[in-house]
Amino acid sequence: MRVLGMISGTSHDGIDVAVVDFDLAGGVLNGRVEHTATTPYPPELRARLVEALPPAPTTLAEVCVLDTLIGQSFAEAAAAAIEQAGPVDLVVSHGQTVFHWVDGAHALGTLQIGQPAWIAERTGAPVLSDVRIRDITAGGHGAPLVSVLDSLLLAGHPGSAAALNLGGIANMTVVRGLDELYAYDIGPANALVDAVVTSRGLSGRGFDEDGRIAASGRVDERLLEVLLDEPYYLLPAPKSTGKELFHLAYVEDALAKAGHSVSDADLVATLTELTVRTVARDVLAAGVDLLVVSGGGCRNPVLMKGLRDALSGVTVALSDDYGAPADDKEAIAFALIGWCTAHGLPGTVPAGTGARAARVLGTLTPGAGPLVLPAPIADRPRSLTLSR
């Protein structure tokens, strides 16, 4: 079954796509990654999206407009992928998260926009969307959903392993053997750095490319102390967070508490070190011997050096080594979730999200023809191998 997975993450800079051809044999799911690509949002759309995100006020009219424009952008990205890679049986669109409603230790709701009907109309393929909310209705956080991929990909590791995604938010899945797993959002990865870089015009690309700004600055220990004194870090897993908490105003409040001015370069260096400290602390507490990293943050040499220095007893590898290109892993994960839903299998691991039980995920929008699903499968695959 050929599935096209699509997502724009918490960095909201563009749409990642992955076409994966799945085949189940003897309890092992084999996925051939046939195509990956990233389509940046048009600058004017990204700017409009950023202006509407929390804590900024917005209107239902603006939400409707963005839902349409983002849906059309996803439709074009899907059509381009299908033109290059060939027809697919299913498109899975995560869409763009614009609000993740969390109250303390509980997720109460989540909103991803990017109307899937535009994708179905443009491509003629059925579309699975709204993949997070069913887990929340079952008491989970709806995140990190990538844990279903991590649990299968790391199932063969003989010790304790963790998969770390460094997107806007850092999330981690800890896997011990075949049956023990937990996952949660650690805190900001690129979110705060991106917010500062964008607001201060430090880079035309909206992020600290190759960690150059961080490398030119020094960590401000007083500001770092303020940033580390965040109640979220003390909450037990499972937990989830997002830009509803970690945004530009959050940085400005921390600067005010620190009580002194900080240069742009020092601010970026300090925010990068915040990610290093919070991630390293949790990885060490997990007691793993292997850390598999993915997401845009793994392309930041300052961040990665900081993690390797802090985790000297842990093997740090990229997800590329496990068949999942680091920049495309989340798109592959949503393709996997689509395959699971199509076969009547849950797309969550309850221990990864905190849900009462696993749930089949998503809402289906029919394509140009009748909606035909494959025969259900009774048992979840034991492991996953990815190849190109």
Side-chain angles (χ1 to χ4, degrees):
M1 182 179 189
R2 300 182 83 239
V3 186
L4 168 57
M6 310 178 71
I7 179 174
S8 177
T10 48
S11 293
H12 47 68
D13 50 3
I15 303 162
D16 296 329
V17 305
V19 175
V20 187
D21 190 359
F22 291 105
D23 178 60
L24 183 63
V28 177
L29 184 61
N30 300 291
R32 188 155 64 92
V33 183
E34 297 184 338
H35 174 79
T36 60
T38 298
T39 303
Y41 279 139
E44 61 276 11
L45 176 56
R46 185 173 192 269
R48 191 167 184 171
L49 173 61
V50 170
E51 289 173 2
L53 291 173
T58 192
T59 65
L60 288 175
E62 185 65 6
V63 172
C64 180
V65 170
L66 286 171
D67 187 42
T68 296
L69 295 177
I70 291 171
Q72 291 170 341
S73 291
F74 269 72
E76 290 306 311
I82 291 170
E83 182 179 353
Q84 294 184 52
V88 298
D89 301 300
L90 178 68
V91 175
V92 183
S93 176
H94 170 272
Q96 178 68 64
T97 298
V98 290
F99 194 76
H100 191 65
W101 183 16
V102 178
D103 184 8
H106 302 283
L108 303 178
T110 191
L111 180 61
Q112 287 75 44
I113 62 174
Q115 175 52 242
W118 291 103
I119 306 170
E121 183 68 21
R122 181 71 173 83
T123 66
V127 181
L128 185 76
S129 60
D130 279 336
V131 292
R132 293 191 184 274
I133 189 61
R134 186 62 186 274
D135 182 76
I136 290 176
T137 66
H141 279 263
L145 290 186
V146 72
S147 60
V148 69
L149 171 63
D150 296 331
S151 66
L152 294 173
L153 209 55
L154 299 179
H157 182 69
S160 297
L164 172 69
N165 181 63
L166 296 171
I169 300 298
N171 61 62
M172 180 171 69
T173 304
V174 178
V175 180
R176 293 188 176 95
L178 293 176
D179 302 317
E180 187 178 349
L181 175 150
Y182 65 92
Y184 62 100
D185 287 344
I186 296 173
N190 302 311
L192 298 182
V193 171
D194 290 354
V196 167
V197 167
T198 300
S199 68
R200 301 192 179 192
L202 304 182
S203 168
R205 302 194 66 182
F207 64 96
D208 184 12
E209 189 172 5
D210 296 327
R212 293 170 190 159
I213 303 171
S216 68
R218 300 180 63 181
V219 173
D220 186 292
E221 293 295 340
R222 170 56 188 153
L223 175 59
L224 182 59
E225 179 184 353
V226 170
L227 291 165
L228 287 169
D229 189 28
E230 164 55 55
Y232 175 80
Y233 300 131
L234 300 178
L235 293 175
K239 58 183 178 179
S240 61
T241 189
K243 291 189 173 180
E244 299 75 26
L245 174 60
F246 296 111
H247 47 63
L248 183 62
Y250 181 92
V251 177
E252 292 169 345
D253 288 346
L255 285 167
K257 290 178 183 177
H260 60 264
S261 61
V262 178
S263 71
D264 290 344
D266 288 356
L267 177 56
V268 173
T270 304
L271 294 173
T272 303
E273 181 64 14
L274 172 68
T275 299
V276 170
R277 295 277 184 96
T278 53
V279 169
R281 180 176 60 191
D282 283 19
V283 172
L284 291 172
V288 300
D289 53 67
L290 171 67
L291 182 68
V292 180
V293 189
S294 62
C298 74
R299 307 306 184 195
N300 183 327
V302 175
L303 177 53
M304 291 303 294
K305 181 180 186 303
L307 287 174
R308 286 191 167 98
D309 289 347
L311 301 170
S312 57
V314 179
T315 299
V316 178
L318 296 183
S319 64
D320 303 66
D321 299 336
Y322 292 79
D327 296 325
D328 307 305
K329 184 184 168 192
E330 285 195 302
I332 293 169
F334 284 100
L336 171 64
I337 287 171
W339 181 88
C340 289
T341 294
H343 289 86
L345 294 172
T348 61
V349 180
T353 65
R356 292 184 296 275
R359 293 289 186 264
V360 179
L361 301 180
T363 301
L364 279 165
T365 301
L371 183 59
V372 180
L373 297 177
I377 294 175
D379 298 316
R380 180 173 173 264
R382 296 192 307 271
S383 63
L384 169 69
T385 60
L386 291 174
S387 62
R388 300 209 68 162

